[in-house]
Amino acid sequence: MFVSAICVLGFIGACMASLRRAFAKDRANVVQLRLRSNNEPIFLRIGSSDWEVLKQVYFLQEYAPPSEKHEEGMRCLYNRMLAEGRTPCILDCGANIGIASLWYSKQYPQAKIIAIEPEPSNFRVLQMNAQNHSNILPVQAAISDRISSVSLQNNDGGASWSWQTIETENGSTPTVTVESLIAEIPDAALLAVKIDIEGFETELMRSNTQWCDTAPLIVFESHDWKLPWSGSAHSFFVTLTKQKRDFLQRGENTFSYSHSLVQP
């Protein structure tokens, strides 16, 4: 079965690569597809990195819990929040076109998922993917440790998953904070925060990190490999190790579970 799964993934990868080559000059070409595990349509742009995102999230399951015990703890917490009349909230920071938000929506259907994405073309597809999911709230902004404005740049050949947030004096993109987003949801209870923001995590984690103490699960991708000497991973660990947490790795993502909040 394991060999068959590898073959299937290889076939899917080859098909995706072929499609990307065929439509590389038409990045605005949005198509929809349906997965067997998801009845709702998923919108993607042919010739873009959207296909890689889909593969990571749905086929490689890179946001699935790395252990059954930690998954059990999160399920218990989710059900307890609902029983108490609270709204479990998941923040998808760096939502891109919303594939991870769709995955979280399937796993926690009664949670409110706030999908934060600053780049306009990504955000348009995110809105399309969220349109049939009332529990996904798209927010066109950049996540930060303060309310301000920023600029966007792409140094990776225009790949749609590589937009970086840059602090400048004349930025046109607004920022939001974890606290400001949670404050908009009545009876909110923070369940999870997913962070993949292409290096801007050093700014997000430099101050106003009190929300980390109330986050049962933080899933983050660090970018030391992409931005050497930026201290990307350090910016997370210096804050998250102040309380007792479990750290597990799955694919590109580090899962950080709070002992005091998740342990059943």
Side-chain angles (χ1 to χ4, degrees), residues 19-257:
L19 284 169
R20 283 197 300 274
R21 288 192 296 271
F23 293 93
K25 295 183 180 180
D26 188 7
R27 294 181 179 237
N29 187 10
V30 177
V31 298
Q32 65 171 292
L33 55 83
R34 294 176 187 267
L35 302 179
R36 185 175 297 177
S37 60
N38 187 348
N39 292 326
E40 298 291 341
I42 296 178
F43 294 91
L44 309 109
R45 291 161 296 188
I46 293 178
S48 77
S49 55
D50 296 354
W51 296 94
E52 293 298 327
V53 176
L54 178 71
K55 183 175 73 173
Q56 288 179 353
V57 176
Y58 275 97
F59 296 105
L60 300 179
Q61 292 283 299
E62 291 198 357
Y63 289 104
S67 90
E68 291 184 6
K69 288 295 183 182
H70 293 85
E71 165 66 357
E72 178 185 350
M74 289 295 291
R75 290 289 171 191
C76 289
L77 178 60
Y78 169 71
N79 291 328
R80 188 161 63 248
M81 289 175 175
L82 294 174
E84 293 171 352
R86 307 190 70 189
T87 303
C89 287
I90 298 171
L91 303 190
D92 184 355
C93 304
N96 194 257
I97 63 169
I99 302 297
S101 291
L102 292 174
W103 188 88
Y104 279 117
S105 177
K106 183 77 170 179
Q107 303 303 310
Y108 301 101
Q110 296 184 68
K112 191 70 175 181
I113 295 138
I114 306 175
I116 308 104
E117 172 56 43
E119 201 281 318
S121 59
N122 289 342
F123 187 76
R124 283 193 291 272
V125 185
L126 165 59
Q127 288 179 304
M128 296 172 68
N129 278 319
Q131 64 189 348
N132 294 319
H133 300 266
S134 60
N135 64 332
I136 299 179
L137 173 63
V139 175
Q140 188 173 5
I143 193 76
S144 181
D145 64 332
R146 62 194 66 177
I147 301 296
S148 61
S149 59
V150 296
S151 297
L152 302 176
Q153 72 176 26
N154 191 312
N155 297 321
D156 191 20
S160 57
W161 62 0
S162 296
W163 286 96
Q164 292 180 282
T165 307
I166 306 296
E167 289 187 327
T168 58
E169 293 183 359
N170 58 349
S172 59
T173 301
T175 67
V176 291
T177 66
V178 172
E179 293 89 345
S180 68
L181 293 168
I182 293 297
E184 296 296 319
I185 308 299
D187 300 314
L190 191 57
L191 181 65
V193 181
K194 168 252 176 183
I195 305 169
D196 183 0
I197 51 178
E198 300 303 314
F200 202 67
E201 54 268 15
T202 56
E203 285 79 7
L204 171 64
M205 302 298 291
R206 69 187 163 191
S207 68
N208 298 322
T209 57
Q210 300 88 340
W211 59 268
C212 293
D213 295 336
T214 65
L217 169 62
I218 299 174
V219 182
F220 63 89
E221 180 182 342
S222 60
H223 292 87
D224 290 333
W225 62 273
K226 187 175 185 179
L227 302 167
W229 314 117
S230 66
S232 171
H234 174 79
S235 67
F236 287 111
F237 287 118
V238 72
T239 296
L240 298 183
T241 54
K242 291 178 181 177
Q243 64 171 231
K244 198 168 187 180
R245 305 181 73 98
D246 277 10
F247 293 88
L248 296 86
Q249 196 73 25
R250 187 180 183 99
E252 297 177 334
N253 299 313
T254 302
F255 290 66
S256 173
Y257 295 90

Side-chain angles (χ1 to χ4, degrees), residues 8-26:
V8 170
L9 284 174
F11 174 74
I12 292 170
C15 290
M16 289 180 175
S18 177
L19 284 169
R20 283 197 300 274
R21 288 192 296 271
F23 293 93
K25 295 183 180 180
D26 188 7

